Amino acid sequence: MSYAMQRSSSSYLRRACWILKAWMQDPTQVATICPSSPYLTEAISERECIRSATTVVELGPGAGGTTLALLEQMKPDSRLIAIENNAALAEATREIADPRLIVEHGDAADLMQILEHHGYPCVDAVVSGIPFSALPDMAAKKIIRAVYHALCPGGQFLAYQFRDSVLDFALPAFGPPTTQSIPLNLPPLQLYSWKKVENKQRAPQSVCINT
Ligand SMILES: C[S@@+](CC[C@H](N)C(=O)[O-])C[C@H]1O[C@@H](n2cnc3c(N)ncnc32)[C@H](O)[C@@H]1O
């Protein structure tokens, strides 16, 4: 099936049903009642760090709307590893027919073990929709630590959030982010971007931008 068909309005409605069902079972973890808007998925996937990446991790792909947008922009020889802790949503993301995609039903905190299992020492970008505001502090710290270790030097961390709790956990590791507002999404949210700088000099201005 082509990307246009997989991103069609009927596919969007199917994803919306999956998300709504998952939200009714676990509203705190799922944290949204409808899939990400095209404005959000494009703001993420059209960044140069995604287009040029060899390996990308997506944390919390939900029903796969962001996943499809990422795959549409990524190189033909690239890899996308999506980690989703809701079994039904992981199954929904697995419906995407693309040999570059690996879907793991698991916890984002286990990112390093998952990458090791697949033979990837580090990745070029991590995209996260995980609701950090809903996580216990320990769990959030563990995920940020895993993201930091998983990124290759120069790698990018992109987190779309409707609250700013992620900053409490990410600032000590990554320094200040660049921030883009995405008003046309339900709910409206912020897209935070960080770059892992090897020598710990923090350079938020060098975070990847839309092309
Ligand atoms: C805001 S939704 C993402 C929506 C997605 N972008 C879409 O368009 O369908 C957040 C997702 O993160 C997942 N999630 C929450 N905590 C997680 C964790 N610790 N590990 C992996 N996935 C998690 C939820 O199950 C949910 O699917």
Side-chain angles (χ1 to χ4, degrees):
M1 207 195 297
S2 72
Y3 283 105
M5 282 170 77
Q6 294 193 76
R7 291 184 74 183
S8 67
S9 48
S10 64
S11 294
Y12 184 90
L13 280 178
R14 257 163 75 77
R15 284 197 299 279
C17 290
W18 277 316
I19 290 272
L20 189 59
K21 210 167 147 194
W23 178 83
M24 287 194 295
Q25 286 160 0
D26 192 347
T28 314
Q29 287 279 317
V30 175
T32 185
I33 52 164
C34 65
S36 304
S37 73
Y39 300 96
L40 171 62
T41 59
E42 280 165 23
I44 299 169
S45 63
E46 290 182 1
R47 290 184 175 217
E48 186 49 33
C49 61
I50 300 297
R51 287 179 157 166
S52 63
T54 302
T55 320
V56 175
V57 162
E58 183 180 14
L59 303 176
T66 31
T67 317
L68 267 175
L70 290 169
L71 287 165
E72 200 167 2
Q73 295 297 334
M74 286 171 66
K75 296 189 295 185
D77 60 346
S78 59
R79 270 289 192 193
L80 176 59
I81 300 142
I83 304 171
E84 171 57 61
N85 72 350
N86 179 295
L89 292 177
E91 226 23 72
T93 302
R94 272 197 194 105
E95 285 200 357
I96 296 172
D98 191 313
R100 297 170 299 167
L101 176 64
I102 298 170
V103 181
E104 286 283 349
H105 171 219
D107 197 291
D110 298 325
L111 170 59
M112 288 308 290
Q113 291 92 310
I114 291 169
L115 289 181
E116 200 176 317
H117 173 75
H118 289 287
Y120 296 106
C122 67
V123 300
D124 302 310
V126 175
V127 175
S128 175
I130 288 179
F132 280 90
S133 55
L135 296 180
D137 280 15
M138 280 303 286
K141 282 181 187 159
K142 223 174 141 193
I143 292 172
I144 292 293
R145 213 166 24 238
V147 169
Y148 189 84
H149 286 300
L151 284 170
C152 304
Q156 312 271 338
F157 176 37
L158 309 176
Y160 52 97
Q161 303 281 302
F162 68 97
R163 297 212 175 89
D164 65 3
S165 315
V166 68
L167 299 179
D168 297 342
F169 308 105
L171 275 171
F174 288 97
T178 56
T179 306
Q180 181 182 355
S181 292
I182 314 283
L184 297 178
N185 190 73
L186 201 64
L189 36 74
Q190 305 292 320
L191 174 56
Y192 299 106
S193 319
W194 288 272
K195 180 173 183 169
K196 177 174 174 176
V197 181
E198 201 170 18
N199 63 7
K200 286 266 181 193
Q201 274 173 6
R202 287 161 180 160
Q205 71 281 7
S206 62
V207 166
C208 68
I209 50 165
N210 276 331
T211 52

